[in-house]
Amino acid sequence: MKILAIESSADETAAAVVENGTKVLSNVIASSTAMHEKYGGIVPEVAAREHLRSIIPTIDEALSQANVDMSAIDSLAVTVGPGLIGSLLIGVETAKTVAMATGKPIIPVNHVLAHMYANFIENTIAFPAISLVVSGGHTELFLMKSEQDLEWLGGTLDDAAGEAFDKTARLLGFGNQGGVAIQQAAKKSLPITLPRPLMHDGSLNFSFSGLKTAILREWKKQETHSEKFIQSLAYEVQEAITDVLVAKTLRASEKYKAKSILISGGVAANLRLRKKLPSAIAPPINLCTDNAVYIASYAFFRGKPVDWHELTAVPDLSVEV
Ligand code: KG4
Ligand code: ZN
């Protein structure tokens, strides 16, 4: 079964063709991240305009790289939320048009739940599994009893872990490069200690907004910001975030007697997190950040086709399944 998936929830326009949920025939991503650099974050209107420009060429390229045409595609899949309304609409309306024109089934996909199916591409998962989805907008823990059976266990009460990385990166002068820049700069030479919010509270929730305030306090304490200070702050931020993520994931794993631990989402690309959770299954780095491969994979394992007339973008689509 070959699925053509489309993803446009943030600033990446992506399309992919995946066979039986695991065999990647193509994976094409056009990003407008660089265009948002001078604004210090994603500008929704700019992202939407870029999606509009890129979406057809991206789909064409995904079919061409997979060496198939539409007649070989069994089903379409598209991200319907959560995400930016202007961005989502471009993907959803394009997918509806293709469904109408070709008569192919179409599967709506929840972007956040889909992230965890990046783990299915190269791995066989033993259930029950604990799955941490950690991205720019989400930090969520799920219990996976099977490929289809998900239960939301907890999530962030305020900011996502990726947001904490991104805001710190901007403060330290790394622009929109986010967590990767923090990872590259991280080097301990000066003693800085940041809090590990909710680490020992016994719940499966997270909170990262207090950490942001603490980081700002450290920054303001110094009159000048030497390279050593920036490296040390980057180090401690990465330690604080990853310590909390690891502690909560392991707690969930013990509580539910998990046979495997999965991590996914952009922050799962973080090498320190991967090192601190050696037993966890993680997608290849390029499948952690946004792409359409896991959209197709989710659609294969858990998706249900709908009539294209019923497909709508839902910017605040819930992840609490
Ligand atoms: O999953 P994703 O591409 O988009 C969302 O769905 O949000 O995640 C993007 C997030 C950003 O916050 C980015 O800074 C973070 O993933 N990220 C990283 C790394 N690579 C991407 N955070 C820490 N370390 C990394 N290596
Ligand atoms: Zn994402």
Side-chain angles (χ1 to χ4, degrees):
M1 163 130 168
K2 291 192 184 76
I3 296 182
L4 167 64
I6 299 169
E7 150 65 38
S8 71
S9 62
D11 58 347
E12 270 93 17
T13 317
V17 179
V18 179
E19 190 168 3
N20 295 334
T22 54
K23 190 172 176 205
V24 182
L25 303 184
S26 65
N27 176 17
V28 180
I29 304 167
S31 172
S32 65
T33 308
M35 301 191 66
H36 306 285
E37 189 65 50
K38 62 175 182 244
Y39 305 108
I42 299 182
V43 183
E45 290 78 8
V46 175
R49 207 172 323 121
E50 287 309 303
H51 282 304
L52 198 52
R53 206 196 304 272
S54 308
I55 194 126
I56 302 292
T58 302
I59 294 170
D60 281 346
E61 184 63 19
L63 289 169
S64 148
Q65 284 187 15
N67 220 358
V68 295
D69 57 23
M70 273 310 294
S71 64
I73 299 297
D74 299 293
S75 179
L76 304 161
V78 64
T79 300
V80 293
L84 300 167
I85 182 66
S87 294
L88 289 167
L89 275 173
I90 309 296
V92 168
E93 293 306 314
T94 305
K96 281 166 84 167
T97 309
V98 178
M100 182 193 68
T102 61
K104 306 274 178 194
I106 186 158
I107 299 171
V109 175
N110 181 317
H111 176 95
V112 175
L113 302 185
H115 259 298
M116 57 184 116
Y117 289 77
N119 287 295
F120 288 56
I121 305 292
E122 291 185 353
N123 306 286
T124 308
I125 313 292
F127 298 105
I130 286 296
S131 175
L132 171 74
V133 183
V134 65
S135 70
H138 288 268
T139 308
E140 318 284 347
L141 273 168
F142 296 91
L143 172 65
M144 266 187 140
K145 292 178 209 150
S146 70
E147 275 105 346
Q148 295 82 27
D149 191 351
L150 301 180
E151 185 186 333
W152 180 81
L153 301 176
T156 184
L157 304 174
D158 40 59
D159 293 352
E163 206 173 328
F165 269 119
D166 293 345
K167 295 214 169 119
T168 309
R170 250 172 254 145
L171 179 71
L172 301 192
F174 301 126
N176 282 357
Q177 294 170 62
V180 185
I182 301 286
Q183 176 182 299
Q184 282 162 355
K187 198 167 159 210
K188 185 178 184 172
S189 44
L190 305 172
I192 301 174
T193 310
L194 292 169
R196 269 80 173 143
L198 303 190
M199 189 148 104
H200 302 294
D201 78 333
S203 81
L204 294 176
N205 290 322
F206 303 87
S207 164
F208 292 105
S209 75
L211 181 61
K212 219 169 46 188
T213 315
I215 294 162
L216 197 58
R217 202 177 309 124
E218 288 297 327
W219 181 260
K220 286 184 175 162
K221 258 198 230 164
Q222 310 290 321
E223 276 186 15
T224 54
H225 303 109
S226 66
E227 197 179 342
K228 271 191 178 167
F229 172 75
I230 289 175
Q231 290 171 345
S232 306
L233 191 52
Y235 174 88
E236 178 61 7
V237 169
Q238 182 173 251
E239 291 309 303
I241 295 173
T242 52
D243 277 351
V244 177
L245 294 175
V246 169
K248 296 277 168 158
T249 305
L250 292 179
R251 173 166 309 143
S253 172
E254 279 160 27
K255 184 169 174 191
Y256 292 94
K257 302 191 172 32
K259 294 212 174 92
S260 43
I261 295 176
L262 316 179
I263 58 172
S264 62
V267 178
N270 186 270
L271 299 178
R272 190 74 179 126
L273 175 63
R274 287 170 175 252
K275 197 161 178 214
K276 284 183 182 176
L277 263 180
S279 60
I281 292 169
I285 303 281
N286 70 317
L287 295 183
C288 288
T289 44
D290 288 350
N291 63 80
V293 168
Y294 60 75
I295 304 298
S297 193
Y298 174 94
F300 177 80
F301 287 107
R302 196 169 185 270
K304 289 186 187 71
V306 297
D307 186 324
W308 67 262
H309 295 90
E310 287 166 22
L311 211 73
T312 38
V314 188
D316 57 352
L317 187 62
S318 174
V319 302
E320 296 179 22
V321 284

